[in-house]
Amino acid sequence: MIVICERCQSRFRLDENRIKPNTKSFTARCSRCRHVFTAYRPVRIQEIPFVDLSAAKHIAHQGNTIAVSNQKGGVAKTSTCLNLGLALTRRGKKVLLIDFDVQANLSILLGAREAASFYDVLQKGPQAMDRAVVETPYPDMWLLPASKNMVLLNKKYFGADDYEYILNDRLNLVKDRYDYILIDTPPSIEFFTLNALTASDHVIIPTQCDYLSTHGVDQILGIIDLIRRKTNPAIEARILVTMFNADETAACVIQSKLQELYRGRLYQTVIPHDGRLREAQIMSMPVYHYDAQSHSGQAYMALAREIMESTGRAKQNPA
Ligand SMILES: Nc1ncnc2c1ncn2[C@@H]1O[C@H](COP(=O)(O)OP(=O)(O)OP(=O)(O)O)[C@@H](O)[C@H]1O
Ligand SMILES: [Mg+2]
């Protein structure tokens, strides 16, 4: 097995036979930096425990912070943040979107290029979070934009003591003002994704129904398991099928496979592949705003309802 030093990130090969049987964790010393830390046996994905999302009612007081995460690129993380965010506002919720991806795609779609970002929040005092959050063209939706210089944060903080909690600590100052906080993460596992997962109550894992994407799901579930053991024991994960084309045999086969493998851990809502969503992005708009009757716009409204019900916050608001 491979062990990674939690301080200097050096990787070592370790013979599993040297670890006592039936132990999940053990103490390791890094032969490079001499740091002593707790390491874990690798866990097969099928063994990862999932708690039913209905249990989330009991942690509702922690706020509804949701990371949208998958290290696979182009699976609709950003599209989900924007469109789910809008759907939640249409269902009467106050939503903060956090663009935690240096690509700044969410900020571009919301017309907030070159604005202050989490980088500025960390350069200035605790009140800087308030100043960096901007209004969006949509009522009840706010944005903490991304900027190019955020790349420096990865260099500066990745691997430092307790670096995973930096976003969580800042969010605690503003959480009460929003019903939902959605965090868009990059297609990689580093400072931003690990901070987002540590700060979140839930993770939405968007995936397409193609062969390689299902491997991406396995990988991100493995990362979430590590997060659960290290920084955020209560985090819940659910898989969202995106860009689904029911006319494609391969997509249908893979969807059934996902249902079989991750029974009860998929959202019931499936986001269809929809040209209207692409058209909406050209206009820098959420699809529901562009065409309320579109299949994807309706699907994101259904997803918002499903999430509100599972987080115990559904209110008597049809729409
Ligand atoms: N339901 C959909 N139907 C059709 N196209 C879609 C749909 N959802 C997303 N797309 C398109 O797929 C592409 C990737 O979407 P998006 O940028 O949201 O993915 P991402 O996971 O955030 O990518 P990255 O990993 O680069 O951050 C975009 O061109 C987007 O317009
Ligand atoms: Mg993106």
Side-chain angles (χ1 to χ4, degrees), residues 3 8 30 40 46 64 82 85-86 88 129 135 174 181 190 222:
V3 177
C8 72
C30 173
Y40 297 90
Q46 285 76 4
N64 287 312
L82 178 66
L86 186 99
L88 286 165
M129 189 83 178
E135 289 184 350
V174 299
I181 299 175
E190 28 62 315

Side-chain angles (χ1 to χ4, degrees), residues 53-182:
L53 253 194
S54 55
K57 286 178 188 141
H58 305 297
I59 57 164
H61 64 277
Q62 292 180 1
N64 287 312
T65 303
I66 304 176
V68 182
S69 204
N70 190 336
Q71 80 281 28
K72 181 110 178 58
V75 292
K77 296 181 285 294
T78 303
S79 304
T80 296
C81 273
L82 178 66
N83 291 294
L84 173 61
L86 186 99
L88 286 165
T89 66
R90 290 299 174 117
R91 292 198 179 281
K93 300 299 177 188
K94 287 188 167 41
V95 176
L96 172 64
L97 302 179
I98 297 184
D99 191 347
F100 232 36
D101 182 357
V102 179
Q103 296 182 89
N105 289 347
L106 186 58
S107 308
I108 292 168
L109 288 172
L110 287 167
R113 286 167 197 255
E114 310 300 330
S117 71
F118 196 63
Y119 176 85
D120 303 273
V121 171
L122 293 191
Q123 300 308 305
K124 298 167 190 164
Q127 303 313 321
M129 189 83 178
D130 274 332
R131 289 196 290 273
V133 168
V134 294
E135 289 184 350
T136 71
Y138 309 100
D140 291 333
M141 188 197 268
W142 289 265
L143 170 73
L144 175 62
S147 65
K148 278 183 246 149
N149 51 10
M150 274 167 52
V151 78
L152 300 172
L153 298 180
N154 205 25
K155 281 199 177 147
K156 183 168 175 189
Y157 293 106
F158 193 39
D161 283 349
D162 290 339
Y163 71 92
E164 300 101 325
Y165 297 93
I166 296 174
L167 174 64
N168 185 64
D169 293 349
R170 297 294 166 138
L171 276 187
N172 280 339
L173 303 172
V174 299
K175 245 178 187 177
D176 290 352
R177 296 178 208 164
Y178 308 98
D179 296 310
Y180 287 92
I181 299 175
L182 303 183

Side-chain angles (χ1 to χ4, degrees), residues 41-62:
R41 272 182 195 278
V43 180
R44 285 203 305 275
I45 291 305
Q46 285 76 4
E47 293 171 1
I48 294 175
F50 275 76
V51 184
D52 192 305
L53 253 194
S54 55
K57 286 178 188 141
H58 305 297
I59 57 164
H61 64 277
Q62 292 180 1

Side-chain angles (χ1 to χ4, degrees), residues 10 20 38 69-70 73 85 113 134-135 172 190 204 221 224 257 265 269 272 282:
S10 299
K20 273 192 207 151
T38 305
S69 204
N70 190 336
R113 286 167 197 255
V134 294
E135 289 184 350
N172 280 339
E190 28 62 315
I204 296 174
L221 285 172
I224 291 164
K257 190 77 193 159
R265 303 169 212 162
T269 308
I282 295 171

